[in-house]
Amino acid sequence: DTAVSQTPKYLVTQMGNDKSIKCEQNLGHDTMYWYKQDSKKFLKIMFSYNNKELIINETVPNRFSPKSPDKAHLNLHINSLELGDSAVYFCASSQRWAGEKLFFGSGTQLSVL
Amino acid sequence: TQLLEQSPQFLSIQEGENLTVYCNSSSVFSSLQWYRQEPGEGPVLLVTVVTGGEVKKLKRLTFQFGDARKDSSLHITAAQPGDTGLYLCAGVSGYALNFGKGTSLLVTP
């Protein structure tokens, strides 16, 4: 069983569309995250979600909204996609807090045309 | 956000060579983590260093945490093609684990 799984693996879409990326972890972890990795491989935190508390990186546009139906799932919804949103998005989880080992999904490569 | 600077950015070496990559910051960290990322996959944790001056070994990989807990290094002995990947250091700042920009390592046979 994959510990952190995200779907889809690849997502190609047009500017202006709305899309979602799903993430599930079967590790029983309390905290989940979304990271964005740009073309230069820089991995940047977008959101942290712990026990229904959402912490948002203030540089993330409000077109991005994480949604957590339960502790094992943290989905990412993106409205009005822009060219600059093209990147690889990674979901991750940790037992309790960020100082512990992070388990990453295999990423979703988003291409906005 | 506490910045982590990694060097070199790119490294291409022959199998059997030794190498060292560096992770530096002007800030003190309670711990630093090292991850390796292979193409098409997410980063995978290699090691966490916690104590200033600490040295940890993982087979041919040696990790060191600076005495002042502001920097760390990763030394690979006798590199192999399987060591190819992106090496990322990371430290906690605020609520999240923040990453350096990584060192992309290519080991050719």
Side-chain angles (χ1 to χ4, degrees), chain B residues 7-90:
Chain B
S7 61
Q9 189 177 357
F10 299 101
L11 194 53
S12 181
I13 61 171
Q14 297 280 340
E15 182 176 5
E17 291 184 32
N18 301 333
L19 67 116
T20 302
V21 299
Y22 300 93
C23 174
N24 295 292
S25 176
S26 58
S27 304
V28 175
F29 286 90
S30 57
S31 64
L32 282 179
Q33 300 179 21
W34 284 92
Y35 289 77
R36 180 168 66 207
Q37 183 180 13
E38 298 185 12
E41 297 296 328
V44 176
L45 180 69
L46 295 172
V47 78
T48 302
V49 286
V50 179
T51 306
E54 180 178 11
V55 176
K56 281 192 173 178
K57 292 192 175 184
L58 187 66
K59 298 183 181 178
R60 293 175 295 97
L61 279 60
T62 301
F63 303 85
Q64 185 160 6
F65 200 13
D67 291 341
R69 291 185 287 125
K70 292 183 178 181
D71 55 87
S72 182
S73 63
L74 159 59
H75 182 79
I76 302 179
T77 303
Q80 297 178 1
D83 296 326
T84 292
L86 179 67
Y87 288 82
L88 298 159
C89 68

Side-chain angles (χ1 to χ4, degrees), chain A residues 9 35 37 90 99-100 102, chain B residues 33 35 37 40 45 92 97 99:
Chain A
K9 177 72 174 173
Y35 280 84
Q37 189 169 46
F90 286 97
E100 299 169 321
L102 257 60
Chain B
Q33 300 179 21
Y35 289 77
Q37 183 180 13
L45 180 69
V92 174
L97 191 65
F99 287 82

